[in-house]
Amino acid sequence: MLGAGIAGLTATRALAGAGLSVRLHEARDRVGGRLLSVTHDGCTVDLGASWFWPNEPLVQKLASELGVSTFQQALGGDAMFEADHRGAHRMEGNPLDTVSGRFAQGAQALAIRLAERLPEGVLRLHDPVTRVHVNDGAVTVEAASGVTTARHVVVAIPPALAVEAITFSPELPAEVRTLAERTAVWMGDIVKAVAVFDKPYWRDVGLAGAAVSHRGPFREVHDHSGPGGSPAALLGFAAAAPFDGVSPERIGAAFADQLRRLFGAASATPRHIHVTDWSAERYTSPRAVSPRAATTSYGHPLYQRATAGRIHWASTETSAQNAGHIEGALWAGQQAARAVLDAIGATQAT
Ligand SMILES: Cc1cc2nc3c(=O)[nH]c(=O)nc-3n(C[C@H](O)[C@H](O)[C@H](O)COP(=O)(O)OP(=O)(O)OC[C@H]3O[C@@H](n4cnc5c(N)ncnc54)[C@H](O)[C@@H]3O)c2cc1C
């Protein structure tokens, strides 16, 4: 198994649960991939995914199984709108009002708790995979920790990153390689910033903590407070390209500046600002993003069948349902595990 994001962890759990011997190689020193929750001064916030939606049963079932408590995203109040340099104004109601849920312990808790439940010795952190070789009867995986031989390999890594960072031999069929290169990494071109405050002061004046800004650099702002408003926090999304080479401190300062414009002087003094530029994360985004990368190839039929009979695809981008979301990653992980079990069952039957 390549990648201990939520898709790889899901597939690993299913395969290990079916009694197979599985090895899960993870490049980073942590599990979760694009689920990343950080705690500072006792306040936990999400720098990767944070929401799930009512039409997503897999994620709700997983949270309940793992004892990760959930709560509703706060939406009440008015939003702010900033068209240009002439200043922000208040809009009646909150256009960013889709009902959604959040994870009280942070979204990464899903991945951490899944990893804790894996059999000992399955997960290898700090273990980037660099080569996958398919021969007649097996797959050989080369990782930092050494070489492993297996019957099947699941690539639970965004396809565009996998084909850039991993050498496949023999070469992947041209149609698969081209598809992978052109499959955009979901949110891979985004900067997310979270500012933590003493209290959700915007709520005192009937504001939702939400904003739409055409001036930027942050285009969308949402309330990111925990249950009952604690910790109090606002999050922002910005396109990563304009921040190329800019330090997290300067990005954080730009976010604080914009919050002050949008919500008034109290926002000038957050207790802490966290910033993650996902385009600069070498284990999320490829260095050379194809100019043709798009989301239209998500869940493509080529991702639903094994390449060379032994390479299975399982990141959220490959999912035929809810691709891009945590829900899609869970679906892809389950699907890949089923495909491996089917293939092994077929082998054993012959
Ligand atoms: C800022 C942001 C906000 C988001 N908001 C939401 C949201 O609110 N709701 C929602 O549903 N979704 C959201 N998403 C998307 C969600 O995070 C993803 O759908 C999901 O986490 C993807 O899981 P995955 O396992 O498919 O991929 P990843 O999480 O990307 O996992 C891939 C794993 O592979 C590892 N890896 C990479 N290269 C190698 C290698 N060579 N060898 C070994 N391991 C390797 C990585 O370190 C990583 O752990 C958001 C994403 C971001 C970045």
Side-chain angles (χ1 to χ4, degrees):
M1 185 73 54
L2 277 50
I6 198 71
L9 287 162
T10 299
T12 302
R13 176 169 79 157
L15 293 171
L20 297 193
S21 161
V22 191
R23 185 159 291 172
L24 172 55
H25 302 274
E26 168 53 49
R28 289 179 166 105
D29 62 357
R30 63 171 181 86
V31 296
R34 281 170 278 174
L35 304 186
L36 172 61
S37 310
V38 292
T39 303
H40 181 85
D41 275 352
C43 301
T44 300
V45 299
D46 283 318
L47 292 172
S50 43
W51 296 294
F52 63 92
W53 290 272
N55 64 340
E56 299 187 329
L58 299 178
V59 67
Q60 293 175 52
K61 182 162 173 274
L62 181 66
S64 133
E65 253 177 73
L66 298 175
V68 174
S69 34
T70 59
F71 65 102
Q72 252 199 11
Q73 166 72 32
L75 294 169
D78 293 340
M80 298 301 293
F81 177 66
E82 189 180 42
D84 51 32
H85 287 75
R86 283 174 295 177
H89 67 264
R90 187 171 177 143
M91 292 189 287
E92 202 181 323
N94 180 2
L96 309 168
D97 64 351
T98 315
V99 172
S100 59
R102 303 250 312 280
F103 307 95
Q105 293 92 346
Q108 196 184 355
L110 295 173
I112 293 169
R113 292 190 186 184
L114 266 183
E116 285 167 355
R117 284 161 174 74
L118 293 179
E120 214 168 310
V122 167
L123 171 64
R124 298 196 172 186
L125 296 175
H126 287 296
D127 199 23
V129 170
T130 49
R131 191 179 181 90
V132 170
H133 174 66
V134 180
N135 57 32
D136 282 348
V139 190
T140 308
V141 172
E142 283 181 34
S145 65
V147 177
T148 309
T149 301
R151 281 183 283 179
H152 291 269
V153 64
V154 176
V155 181
I157 296 173
L161 177 64
V163 296
E164 182 186 79
I166 298 171
T167 304
F168 289 88
S169 65
E171 275 187 22
L172 293 173
E175 56 175 358
V176 174
R177 187 175 184 91
T178 305
L179 172 70
E181 283 167 355
R182 293 181 186 172
T183 300
V185 177
W186 181 253
M187 301 295 269
D189 54 357
I190 290 292
V191 168
K192 181 169 175 179
V194 177
V196 179
F197 298 91
D198 289 332
K199 61 184 197 97
Y201 64 89
W202 52 93
R203 296 185 187 177
D204 296 343
V205 290
L207 287 175
V212 175
S213 171
H214 294 175
R215 176 176 169 189
F218 286 82
R219 301 282 162 182
E220 266 181 51
V221 176
H222 301 266
D223 188 313
H224 188 59
S225 305
S230 175
L234 294 171
L235 78 77
F237 291 124
F243 286 125
D244 193 21
V246 178
S247 69
E249 292 71 28
R250 283 189 50 207
I251 298 175
F255 186 47
D257 195 41
Q258 188 171 348
L259 291 180
R260 189 170 33 76
R261 282 192 335 245
L262 291 166
F263 300 110
S267 341
T269 51
R271 275 165 58 184
H272 196 78
I273 297 190
H274 303 269
V275 172
T276 299
D277 177 352
W278 287 94
S279 73
E281 289 283 314
R282 68 180 289 206
Y283 294 122
T284 295
S285 296
R287 279 167 220 200
V289 177
S290 163
R292 300 183 65 175
T295 57
T296 44
S297 52
Y298 281 10
H300 193 281
L302 282 175
Y303 291 133
Q304 314 309 322
R305 41 181 199 263
T307 303
R310 297 186 184 277
I311 302 171
H312 305 263
W313 301 91
S315 80
T316 190
E317 288 79 9
T318 69
S319 178
Q321 282 179 30
N322 302 86
H325 290 181
I326 303 171
E327 181 81 3
L330 297 179
W331 191 93
Q334 291 183 355
Q335 190 63 20
R338 264 195 296 272
V340 170
L341 290 172
D342 285 352
I344 285 174
T347 312
Q348 281 167 350
T350 53

